[in-house]
Amino acid sequence: MPKTTSSDKRKTTATGAAESPARRSAAALARIVAELEAIESDSGDGTVQLGGDDSLKVSSLDKIFFPRPKVTKGEVMRYYTSVWPYLHDVLADRPLSLKRFPDGVGGKFFFQQKAPANAPDVVRVESIMSAGGEKQQRIIAGSLGTTLYCTQIGAFECNPWNVRAQSLENPDFTVIDLDPGSRSPFARVIEVALWVKEALDHLGLHAGVKTSGATGIHIVIPLPPSSTNVTAERVPRLIAEAVAGAHPRSATVVRPLNERGTSKIYVDFGQNARGKTVAAAYGVRARPDATVSAPLEWGELVPGLDPRNFTVRTMPKRITEVGDLWAAVTKKPNPARIVTTL
């Protein structure tokens, strides 16, 4: 099992003992939201108290991250705090890949895999093996402090691995990413998603569906315990190839962009290798409208659905109205007797 590599304080955070949603009450989260708002209204710089002995220095909370809706860094932090009871289980114990936007979505970005050397103690850091076989210090998600710190450094997209730190060889989900061509309307993405649903139903499998937070749809298939990377790569490939084969005018598994055609939906099964990531459910995306990756019910996949409606400003109210759609699906593994025989 990977070990933490910093102070005792960080080790305590890494166990998750202080991060149970049951322990972090709605009142405590509301207090953190209010504190973040007060810091932003003042100078934009300060220290937010996260509970117990945990705190995090934050700065420039008044910086505009999303120019069009004028969403600030502080507002993104407040969003993550408000949805933390739902986001916690999505992220807990997962290594993160960082995509940093220091000046918001309108500025330059860069990818960062290794944890920053100066990460504060509230951030969980562990030494894990990369896809290339190199031991690396990586940020491990699961604490609110870690998520707020990532936002602080401009890495506000939550892009977790499909494994937990304590079981790096055993992915617990696999994903099909529906990526539209430049001339494909979102209605066509919905159509292909429903074809994938038909294939899953035929096999006796269930999956969660969510907007990508951009222009596509993610279909996430929970895997049985002790699944391997081979399984995580094989299952979506078989389904994607079946859908593309049955609907060649609308769907494709051809990877080179210039060979797909601009009107087809790329049924991407290649995001399941070790270290590959897609956006987390409830995670903010680096898109002009400050959209998030929104869990859906399958019945919501109808013409007229607009992924731009799910934003940092609308998602908290939606969760209040529909509940946590993601947990109900992803906490129920698919049967091993089906998955292992595909």
Side-chain angles (χ1 to χ4, degrees), residues 73-113:
K73 180 198 288 189
E75 187 170 356
V76 175
M77 288 190 181
R78 296 195 297 275
Y79 165 76
Y80 276 137
T81 303
S82 69
V83 302
W84 186 245
Y86 316 100
L87 184 61
H88 172 272
D89 287 345
V90 175
L91 295 180
D93 301 319
R94 298 192 188 277
L96 294 178
S97 295
L98 305 183
K99 186 177 181 181
R100 296 179 61 175
F101 295 80
D103 297 313
V105 296
K108 295 181 179 179
F109 66 86
F110 62 95
F111 292 95
Q112 180 172 335
Q113 300 297 334

Side-chain angles (χ1 to χ4, degrees), residues 205-227:
L205 299 175
H206 70 271
V209 61
K210 62 188 182 72
T211 66
S212 68
T215 58
I217 282 177
H218 294 158
I219 298 169
V220 176
I221 306 167
L223 294 175
S226 302
S227 292

